Amino acid sequence: MGGFLAGVVGACAEAWQEVRIHKGRVLLSLIGVAVAVCALSGAVAMSAIAQQATIEQADSAGGRAATLTMSMQPSDSTATGRQQATQAWFDVLDRYEISYASRVFWGSSRVQFPDSVQEAGMTVVDQPYGEMHRTRMVEGSWFQPGDSARLAPVVVINTPFWESLGSPDLATHPTVTIDGLGGAKAVIIGVYGTSSWDTWPSMFMLTGHFESLLDPVQAAGSMPQYEMWVPPDLARELQTRIQAELSGAVGAQGFVSVDRSDWGAQMDDPTTILRVITMVIGGIILLLGALSLVNIALVTVRQRIREIGIRRSFGATSGRVFFAVMMESVVATVVAGIVGVILAVLLVQSPMVSELVSFGGISDVPPFPASAAVFGLVVATVVGALAGLIPAIIAVRVKVIDAIRY
Amino acid sequence: MSLIELTAVTRTVLIPDADPLTILDGVSLRVEPGERVSIVGRSGSGKSTLLNLLGMLDLPTTGELSFEGESVPAMKPGRRDRVRGSNVGFIFQQFNLLDGRTALENVTMPLLYARGPRFWGRERIAADILDRVGLGHRLSALPGSLSGGEQQRVAIARALVRQPKLILADEPTGALDVETGQSVMTLLDEIVREENAALVTITHDPAIAARSDRHFRLDRGVLTVAEGAARNAGRADEPVTDGPVADDAVAVL
Ligand SMILES: Nc1ncnc2c1ncn2[C@@H]1O[C@H](COP(=O)(O)OP(=O)(O)OP(=O)(O)O)[C@@H](O)[C@H]1O
Ligand SMILES: [Mg+2]
């Protein structure tokens, strides 16, 4: 099909020449298309980023799909009773082969900072917690599986905490003195990122270390929360079973409740409305851009009737004229589309906008979603083809003998 | 086999609120390969209409039109366009070069509709023929910056770049002064002879008409042989219409 290739290459060459010659007119229409494509792909990208941010926040608060959260209060509230209840939970984990599970205990403790002693948040968890909540590390790392066997307690602190300590290099094994835990010195092994509005210093500590440091009297307080990350399709069944099995373990006066807490996955896509609105606005801009493009293309094609007649008299078939005129629009809008996508990338990646769309929830900007870029280019091509359709039909209808009469 | 043949061709156009207008009336004409034919006639006599038929841009209302023995009206439109593209070259009175395109781009244009080596080697082929018409040094000149004679030479190069079998020239010297017109025609004659193409020239100028092998006159849509044209060559003051008229317009030599 050498003839076909020559035809396609020829039509593109023709279209490119045309765009080059009418660059003034074309440029005008292209600005509209570029702006529209920028708006559309920017909207898609921003919505994707916002969605990602929302999911990240939901996950870090409620756990990933599907997370079962259990509260348990045994009848026997002594240390032994609590230990038995916890053991019953461990048995359940073994039986159902749930490897991602963590106790979670929220509290706070006084900590020595360089200039003062302050109350800092403390969340006591088991090692899998980080994975279950997608805890985002900015320095060092999350707890390793063997860490609770370490003699010296280790902690993972948040960015405000780290900054209050003067951002020490983790390679130097900096420590922090926790007054609330009998002045224990804990080694900082990691720093996790927080929302920009969350400025309270807080830290994570492993349950094992916490219990060994805790004064037994203090320890008589409340029970932790128990979290399990399970396959979503088994969540309902496991929920009922675990509830039933542990009800037996806590005794008659005890209390167990197992619930799904991963509200991020449960609720409807929180960005749907945002996305619909941005798409509608982008669509309107695109429609206006496309209309102006059609308008300019129509004016152009009318001015070119003589030229089309000349080309036809030198052997251009009507199919070829149709394709070439349509390609002019497509070549032009694809170029505009590329410009629009680049603009959208620059815009979305600009600190101000990314702060806005992520609600301050993600401090490092995720890369511009490829899907948004592809979407923008596809839209540009389709708009070019549609806008080129009407002038192409007019071009084909040109009567050669009338066009070359003078 | 004739290159192109019209047999009893009538061309009428419908005009709103009036009787149909007959532009060509029973025209028969045969053009053989390599032959040079001239057609003279008053303005409005139907010369351009006849040329459009010869160039397969238009179809007869009645009568037969065939190219190399194949009926032109029977061809599918796409095939007709391709047959035209590879066999016919047009030269217009107003040059009809594409504005904003260089001389080279204008001459390359017909090759965009060719295939194979001609398509892929189009720039070189176009540059060669521009060189042949003496414009090798003006390849990137825009039509507006060229003189009338130069523009018509670009148009000649464009008409010949696909080595067509038939060149149709509609008053090729109409927009040029006498001297430039003569030199352009001399060039055209030379190239047509080199390429062994047939040339049909429409002209008002008896001196231009005299360069042809056969001479016709078109009068209100009726084509007749103009025997006297050769004798009258160079005598622009004496109307060619005085020549004797043959009854049989199909004057095959
Ligand atoms: N499509 C059309 N509709 C109406 N009238 C037409 C049409 N085409 C041609 N005519 C008329 O037919 C006649 C012949 O036209 P044509 O262009 O062939 O003349 P011509 O001999 O080339 O004239 P000139 O020397 O001025 O170029 C003219 O009167 C013209 O107005
Ligand atoms: Mg005419």
Side-chain angles (χ1 to χ4, degrees):
Chain A
M1 279 315 287
F4 177 74
L5 185 62
V8 171
V9 172
C12 290
E14 230 172 279
W16 174 244
Q17 232 182 54
E18 204 57 46
V19 171
R20 190 167 55 79
I21 280 155
H22 301 288
K23 46 183 172 294
R25 272 199 293 265
V26 168
L27 197 68
L28 258 169
S29 62
L30 293 196
I31 289 171
V33 173
V35 166
V37 168
C38 172
L40 271 182
S41 74
V44 171
M46 272 162 45
S47 136
I49 292 173
Q51 195 172 4
Q52 181 61 28
T54 316
I55 286 171
E56 272 179 28
Q57 278 181 303
D59 285 353
S60 89
R64 295 159 77 159
T67 298
L68 296 180
T69 297
M70 179 179 77
S71 328
M72 180 159 68
Q73 198 63 56
S75 327
D76 175 5
S77 63
T78 63
T80 329
R82 297 214 316 269
Q83 215 143 30
Q84 277 168 355
T86 303
Q87 190 53 50
W89 179 63
F90 280 135
D91 293 345
V92 164
L93 297 185
D94 278 348
R95 203 168 321 129
Y96 295 110
E97 293 177 342
I98 301 170
S99 47
Y100 284 95
S102 173
R103 286 162 285 183
V104 184
F105 184 83
W106 288 283
S108 64
S109 188
R110 274 168 296 112
V111 170
Q112 285 181 17
F113 285 97
D115 41 3
S116 63
V117 172
Q118 270 183 44
E119 197 75 8
M122 177 183 273
T123 310
V124 181
V125 297
D126 291 315
Q127 190 272 335
Y129 181 94
E131 182 71 28
M132 293 165 68
H133 287 257
R134 289 195 223 257
T135 306
R136 195 168 48 80
M137 302 303 294
V138 292
E139 287 288 327
S141 58
W142 181 255
F143 303 111
Q144 299 304 308
D147 278 352
S148 55
R150 288 205 203 182
L151 281 178
V154 286
V155 288
V156 169
I157 61 176
N158 69 358
T159 335
F161 198 136
W162 188 50
E163 281 162 2
S164 304
L165 293 175
S167 308
D169 182 359
L170 296 190
T172 65
H173 306 290
T175 57
V176 58
T177 307
I178 305 170
D179 286 0
L181 290 177
K185 270 194 191 325
V187 178
I188 300 164
I189 59 162
V191 178
Y192 66 96
T194 50
S195 307
S196 53
W197 37 260
D198 186 5
T199 54
W200 194 43
S202 7
M203 62 185 148
F204 283 109
M205 184 180 264
L206 289 170
T207 316
H209 289 145
F210 179 71
E211 285 177 344
S212 67
L213 293 170
L214 205 60
D215 153 346
V217 181
Q218 260 181 297
S222 57
M223 293 283 288
Q225 180 174 292
Y226 301 81
E227 289 185 357
M228 291 156 276
W229 185 25
V230 300
D233 48 336
L234 294 180
R236 184 163 289 278
E237 196 191 333
L238 284 172
Q239 184 181 347
T240 340
R241 288 213 194 176
I242 294 169
Q243 170 91 42
E245 286 176 28
L246 288 178
S247 293
V250 293
Q253 264 83 58
F255 152 85
V256 174
S257 91
V258 183
D259 290 299
R260 268 190 85 160
S261 62
D262 51 314
W263 51 272
Q266 306 268 71
M267 68 184 183
D268 293 336
D269 178 356
T271 62
T272 304
I273 293 173
L274 179 71
R275 194 164 49 205
V276 167
I277 292 172
T278 45
M279 294 294 274
V280 166
I281 294 172
I284 292 169
I285 302 174
L286 187 71
L287 192 70
L288 294 177
L291 282 179
S292 86
L293 188 71
V294 171
N295 185 33
I296 288 161
L298 282 179
V299 172
T300 314
V301 88
R302 292 224 168 83
Q303 289 169 343
R304 283 171 40 208
I305 284 179
R306 193 181 70 99
E307 179 200 316
I308 291 164
I310 295 167
R311 288 182 182 277
R312 293 292 310 268
S313 62
F314 281 98
T317 61
S318 56
R320 173 58 177 274
V321 167
F322 183 91
F323 187 56
V325 171
M326 185 131 133
M327 280 308 290
E328 285 166 30
S329 284
V330 175
V331 166
T333 56
V334 166
V335 171
I338 292 169
V339 172
V341 168
I342 291 172
L343 278 180
V345 171
L346 293 179
L347 209 68
V348 170
Q349 306 260 303
S350 78
M352 216 180 72
V353 175
S354 61
E355 184 80 358
L356 188 75
V357 288
S358 63
F359 315 112
I362 34 181
S363 44
D364 62 343
V365 185
F368 191 86
S371 60
V374 170
F375 174 77
L377 288 183
V378 168
V379 163
T381 311
V382 170
V383 165
L386 288 180
L389 203 60
I390 299 168
I393 290 170
I394 291 176
V396 165
R397 289 198 176 158
V398 165
K399 283 232 173 66
V400 185
I401 50 172
D402 294 333
I404 58 173
R405 195 200 301 280
Y406 30 84
Chain B
M1 192 190 347
S2 303
L3 189 55
I4 192 152
E5 180 171 1
L6 278 80
T7 314
V9 163
T10 305
R11 182 74 177 94
T12 57
V13 291
L14 295 174
I15 294 167
D17 307 323
D19 290 337
L21 173 71
T22 302
I23 305 174
L24 293 178
D25 191 4
V27 170
S28 295
L29 174 66
R30 226 189 253 175
V31 179
E32 302 297 327
E35 190 181 31
R36 287 170 306 148
V37 172
S38 71
I39 299 167
V40 295
R42 285 208 187 91
S43 183
S45 56
K47 303 185 298 295
S48 297
T49 306
L50 176 57
L51 209 71
N52 289 340
L53 287 167
L54 290 171
M56 296 177 270
L57 288 173
D58 197 8
L59 295 176
T61 310
T62 64
E64 186 48 46
L65 168 63
S66 65
F67 183 85
E68 291 190 323
E70 185 180 355
S71 167
V72 175
M75 290 179 191
K76 283 187 182 159
R79 169 159 166 75
R80 191 155 58 226
D81 291 329
R82 277 188 286 272
V83 169
R84 173 172 54 247
S86 50
N87 292 292
V88 183
F90 287 90
I91 298 167
F92 306 96
Q93 177 178 358
Q94 298 301 337
F95 321 133
N96 271 346
L97 297 179
L98 302 180
D99 297 329
R101 268 76 157 196
T102 63
L104 184 63
E105 283 169 343
N106 265 283
V107 177
T108 308
M109 183 265 284
L111 292 168
L112 282 171
Y113 311 115
R115 294 180 174 184
R118 291 218 189 159
F119 174 80
W120 299 107
R122 58 192 184 277
E123 302 244 318
R124 187 186 42 76
I125 297 171
D128 284 351
I129 192 149
L130 272 167
D131 198 39
R132 174 64 190 85
V133 300
L135 290 171
H137 60 296
R138 305 294 314 263
L139 296 186
S140 50
L142 295 174
S145 71
L146 294 169
S147 73
E150 286 171 329
Q151 289 189 49
Q152 197 59 305
R153 282 192 276 159
V154 173
I156 289 171
R158 180 178 64 179
L160 282 140
V161 74
R162 288 190 69 179
Q163 295 178 297
K165 293 174 181 160
L166 177 64
I167 312 289
L168 301 173
D170 194 346
E171 301 189 34
T173 59
L176 304 175
D177 62 64
V178 177
E179 225 165 283
T180 312
Q182 286 292 348
S183 76
V184 162
M185 283 311 290
T186 305
L187 176 70
L188 180 60
D189 275 346
E190 271 173 31
I191 303 184
V192 165
R193 228 184 282 271
E194 281 165 25
E195 300 285 338
N196 198 28
L199 171 66
V200 177
T201 311
I202 284 175
T203 182
H204 284 305
D205 184 348
I208 303 288
R211 294 169 170 271
S212 300
D213 307 320
R214 291 199 293 137
H215 313 273
F216 292 90
R217 222 172 66 80
L218 193 61
D219 195 7
R220 288 196 208 133
V222 179
L223 188 75
T224 50
V225 175
E227 297 291 1
R231 260 184 285 121
N232 293 336
R235 293 179 57 190
D237 53 337
E238 188 171 319
V240 261
T241 50
D242 287 346
V245 170
D247 285 335
D248 182 10
V250 187
V252 185
L253 297 178

